[in-house]
């Protein structure tokens, strides 16, 4: 029996190695950019690819919309709430609903309504309220994260498909450090894999809040990323699997600075290492793993360009000087990106 077990383990190991060998590294040399929405009045930092492959966004001026990739058509609306000029920088979805969350006071969270109109499912009034990102673990449970209001990061959670949201008490969360907050730059302050959740903070202190159980309990990990000023720290985080993650940021007021602005973990976020130290890219507002590429390939975007890595972030290649704030992958070669005045389809080519 022992001999058979050893043989089976060897076979599994061999098959695993073969599968990895069938995935040679790619070396993208350019990116084709096709604008699919242009509006000079919009600043778009939050997009989401829905289950059917359509693309949703929410932005400034209360604007939100849906792109049908088959018909290549847009449905765009404006959300009003009293006399407020709503600014949306966080969106998320389930299999049946779309959600968008405004920044500043009051924070207003909308959910797709049964009548076809967006309905308010959460509202928070506080002088310091400012929500930065939102995502769902599954069709019932979701999370949104914002700046501290009472000594800890603001975290709200739903367990009923987004119909109701509850704010976690500070006694259940790590205490925030002075000047610690988050950046509403690309709706990528939160990364999830299964039940595991990582939240990136930034500012004078830039750390990782971690939950292994969909927000029931929390701990915090330090990072070596540049920090100390209100404009420094992690702006974006992504995880390929439960162990391998990447975060990027810097200081948007010094976008070419590339010291200590890229970090990587291989142990689930407990410890982080600086990578591509003193090498481009500098400040970037969003980083995403390219799907189904064994955690080797990443794309980073910001208002100074688009960059690609095929070695887990050790080195980077500039693909374009075009400016974007955020992106989401449709497959391993095509992504949607959004920025100042536009949403574009990006096709990466070798």
């Amino acid at each position: 029996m022992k001999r058979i077990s050893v043989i089976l383990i060897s076979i599994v190991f061999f098959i695993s190695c073969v599968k990895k060998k069938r995935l040679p590294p790619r070396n993208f040399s350019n990116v084709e950019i096709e604008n699919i929405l242009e509006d000079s009045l919009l600043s778009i930092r939050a997009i989401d690819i829905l289950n059917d492959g359509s693309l949703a966004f929410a932005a400034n001026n209360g604007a939100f919309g849906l792109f049908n990739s088959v018909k290549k058509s847009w449905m765009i609306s404006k959300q009003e709430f009293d006399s407020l000029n709503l600014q949306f920088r966080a969106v998320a979805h389930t299999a049946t609903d779309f959600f968008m969350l405004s920044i500043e006071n009051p924070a207003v969270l909308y959910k797709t309504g049964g009548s076809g109109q967006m309905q308010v499912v959460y509202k928070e009034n506080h002088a310091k309220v400012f929500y930065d990102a939102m995502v769902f673990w599954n069709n019932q449970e979701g999370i949104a994260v914002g700046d501290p209001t009472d000594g800890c990061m603001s975290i709200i959670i739903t367990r009923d498909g987004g119909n109701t949201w509850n704010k976690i008490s500070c006694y259940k969360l790590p205490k925030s450090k002075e000047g610690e907050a988050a950046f509403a730059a690309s709706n990528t302050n939160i990364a999830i894999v299964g039940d595991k959740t990582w939240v990136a903070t930034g500012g004078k202190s830039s750390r990782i809040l971690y939950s292994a159980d969909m927000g029931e309990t929390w701990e915090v990990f330090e990072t070596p990323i540049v920090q100390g000023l209100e404009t420094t720290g992690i702006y974006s985080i992504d995880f390929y699997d439960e162990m391998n993650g990447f975060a990027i940021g810097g200081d948007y007021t010094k976008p070419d600075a590339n010291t200590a602005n890229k970090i990587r973990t291989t142990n689930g976020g407990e410890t982080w290492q600086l990578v591509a130290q003193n090498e481009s890219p500098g400040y970037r507002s969003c980083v995403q793993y390219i799907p189904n590429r064994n955690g080797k390939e990443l794309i980073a975007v910001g208002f100074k360009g688009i960059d690609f890595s095929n070695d887990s972030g050790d080195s980077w290649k500039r693909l374009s000087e075009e400016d974007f704030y955020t992106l989401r992958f449709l497959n391993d070669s095509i992504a949607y990106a959004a920025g100042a005045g536009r949403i574009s389809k990006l096709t990466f080519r070798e």
Side-chain angles (χ1 to χ4, degrees), residues 1-192:
M1 180 63 73
K2 184 176 180 179
R3 179 181 176 84
I4 293 175
S5 298
V6 171
I7 293 173
L8 287 174
I9 292 172
S10 298
I11 292 173
V12 170
F13 179 77
F14 174 77
I15 292 174
S16 176
C17 290
V18 169
K19 284 184 178 180
K20 288 184 178 180
K21 288 181 180 179
R22 290 176 182 172
L23 200 62
R26 298 181 298 180
N27 189 16
F28 290 138
S29 58
N30 65 83
V31 54
E32 176 185 306
I33 300 174
E34 175 191 356
N35 293 338
I36 60 174
L37 175 67
E38 295 181 82
D39 187 332
S40 62
L41 298 179
L42 294 181
S43 175
I44 307 168
R45 295 178 180 271
I47 59 175
D48 205 10
I49 297 176
L50 307 187
N51 290 11
D52 62 359
S54 58
L55 176 71
F57 82 91
N60 61 324
N61 299 327
F64 67 101
L66 181 69
F67 177 67
N68 186 315
S69 59
V70 176
K71 297 181 179 180
K72 297 187 182 302
S73 62
W74 282 97
M75 292 177 57
I76 298 178
S77 301
K78 181 176 181 178
Q79 187 64 52
E80 295 182 348
F81 186 89
D82 295 335
S83 59
L84 296 176
N85 180 14
L86 294 172
Q87 312 288 315
F88 295 108
R89 298 194 190 178
V91 299
H93 78 279
T94 63
T96 56
D97 291 295
F98 172 68
F99 300 80
M100 55 190 192
L101 176 59
S102 68
I103 59 172
E104 300 177 327
N105 186 26
V108 187
L109 200 166
Y110 289 90
K111 169 186 177 292
T112 309
S115 64
Q117 301 294 317
M118 300 296 285
Q119 63 184 29
V120 177
V121 290
Y122 180 80
K123 179 185 174 185
E124 183 176 339
N125 291 279
H126 195 287
K128 296 181 180 179
V129 69
F130 199 107
Y131 278 92
D132 306 287
M134 177 170 52
V135 70
F136 273 76
W137 291 288
N138 52 52
N139 288 328
Q140 292 298 310
E141 297 164 293
I143 178 174
V145 173
D147 294 352
T149 57
D150 297 303
C152 67
M153 294 296 290
S154 296
I155 296 181
I156 58 174
I157 288 179
T158 181
R159 306 287 186 191
D160 61 1
N163 292 312
T164 61
W165 296 74
N166 296 292
K167 191 169 185 178
I168 300 179
S169 299
C170 277
Y171 76 84
K172 291 185 177 181
L173 291 169
K175 183 179 179 180
S176 294
K177 292 186 176 182
E178 181 182 355
E180 183 177 22
F183 298 111
S186 59
N187 194 36
T188 52
N189 303 89
I190 310 169
I192 62 170

Side-chain angles (χ1 to χ4, degrees), residues 20 22-28 240 289-298 308-312 329 331-333 350:
K20 288 184 178 180
R22 290 176 182 172
L23 200 62
R26 298 181 298 180
N27 189 16
F28 290 138
Y240 185 80
Y289 280 100
I290 300 178
N292 304 315
R293 300 301 299 176
N294 288 342
K296 294 293 185 181
E297 298 178 3
L298 301 106
F308 165 68
S309 174
N310 64 1
D311 55 11
S312 301
F329 275 94
N331 55 44
D332 67 1
S333 300
E350 293 188 80

Side-chain angles (χ1 to χ4, degrees), residues 195-299:
D195 294 348
K196 300 182 185 300
T197 310
W198 298 265
V199 173
T201 70
K204 294 183 179 180
S205 180
S206 187
R207 304 185 295 172
I208 303 296
L209 275 62
Y210 170 71
S211 173
D213 49 17
M214 290 192 294
E216 294 289 350
T217 60
W218 293 87
E219 57 186 311
V220 65
F221 304 130
E222 301 290 335
T223 79
I225 203 160
V226 59
Q227 50 199 286
L229 301 175
E230 292 182 353
T231 54
T232 56
I234 299 171
Y235 279 73
S236 179
I237 186 172
D238 194 22
F239 268 74
Y240 185 80
D241 53 33
E242 291 186 353
M243 301 305 292
N244 296 283
F246 200 92
I248 201 166
D251 185 341
Y252 82 90
T253 67
K254 301 174 182 177
D256 294 323
N258 51 32
T259 299
N261 75 313
K262 300 171 285 291
I263 59 175
R264 182 178 63 214
T265 182
T266 57
N267 61 3
E270 290 188 27
T271 59
W272 296 78
Q273 297 77 43
L274 294 170
V275 295
Q277 179 71 305
N278 300 316
E279 297 178 6
S280 294
Y283 164 79
R284 292 293 180 266
S285 56
C286 182
V287 65
Q288 294 283 279
Y289 280 100
I290 300 178
N292 304 315
R293 300 301 299 176
N294 288 342
K296 294 293 185 181
E297 298 178 3
L298 301 106
I299 293 290

